[in-house]
Amino acid sequence: MSDDKIILTGIKPTGMPHIGNYLGVYKSLIELSQTHKTFAFIADLHALNLVHDPKIIKQHTYEAAAFILAMGLNTDNAILFRQSDVDAVYKLNTFLMNVTPKGLMNRAHSYKAMLEKNAASGDDPDNGVNMGLYTYPILMTADILLYNSDIVPVGSDQKQHVEFARDIAEYFNKTYGDLFKLPEPQIGKDIGLIPGLDGRKMSKSYDNTIPLFAPESELKKKIMRIITDSKLPEEPKNPDESTIYLLYRHFANDADTQNMRKLFEQGKIGYGDAKKMLFEKINSYLAGPREKYNYLMSHTDELDKILADGAVKARAVAEKTIERVKRAMLG
Ligand code: TRP
C-alpha cells in the first residue's frame, strides 16, 4: 500500500474489546498508523441509536480510547479523537442525506436483521427501529468522507457500510463534481478465523470471548476452559483444528509457533500443557497493555486531554472538507 494513503477507522464504544476484535482490526490499524496518516475515533454518536444512558456511553468511550492507546496507538503518528467533538460530522451527515437513496438504507444488513427479528416475533416491521439505526450508514459515510479516507480497516460485519460510503461518494461526485475520494474497506481476512473458547468465531454474541484486559487470574481461567476434543497427550493432533494453536500463533514468534505445531503433530503435548503455554504467551503479550489500560482508566483526565488534542487536529481537516461541500451544494 502506498504511503500517502489515509487510514481511518471508528471504534464503537460498546464495552471492553476482546482479543478477536484486536487481532481482526486494530492490530493492523496500529501497524498502519506507523507509516500512514491515520485517523482513529471513538464513534460515540453511533452508540446513540441503542444506548440511551449518557453515563454508559461516556464510560465506554473512555474504555475504547484507553484500549487503543494501551495496545500501542501512538498519538504522535495518529489522530485519536471523539467523533462527537467534531461538529463538521453532523453537518456532512445532513448534506449526505440528500444524495443517499432510501433504497440503499433498506438494504443495510443491520436494518434488515431488525426487520427479520420483528417478522419472526410477529411485531410491526419497524418495531424498535429509530432513525439513528436506519441512517447509521450515512453518518458512517460522513465519518469516512470528512477525513478524505482511502483505507478503512473494519471487521467483516462493517464491510457493507464502507461499500455504502463508496456508493454515496459516487452519487455525490456525479452531481457535484469529483470532490470525494472513493474509500475501500480493509478486512482482516488473511489472519484467518479467530476462534473463541468454544471453537466458534470469537464474538460477544456467542459469549465465548477472551477479554483483553481481564486480570491475570481470570485470563488463566478462561484459557483453561477452552473446549478441546478428548485426544490423549501422546496422540497426534491437527494444530489447524485446535483453538489453542489457532490463538497461540497470533501471540508467539515464528519459532515458537513452529514448535507448538510439531508438539501437536507428533503427539508430544496434552491439551492442558498447551493451554498453559498459550496462557503464558498471551499473558506476557498483554501484561504491559493491561497495566497501561488500568492506568488510563484511573486517570481519565489524561484521556480527556489526549482526545481534546486529537479533536483540534481532526477539526482542522474536517472544516476544510465541509467548506468545500457547502460551496459545492449551496453555491
Ligand atoms: N460502525 C462501526 C462499528 O460498529 C464503527 C464506525 C463508525 C466506523 N464510523 C466508522 C468504522 C467509520 C469505520 C469507519 O464497528
Side-chain angles (χ1 to χ4, degrees), residues 28 35 248 291-292 305:
S28 89
T35 46
Y248 186 81
E291 203 175 305
K292 179 147 193 209
K305 167 94 178 56

Side-chain angles (χ1 to χ4, degrees), residues 8-10 12 41 43 46 136 140 143-144 152 154 158:
L8 169 137
T9 204
K12 198 162 147 182
F41 61 91
H46 274 113
Y136 187 107
M140 190 158 153
D143 292 325
I144 293 170
V152 185
V154 283
Q158 296 296 314

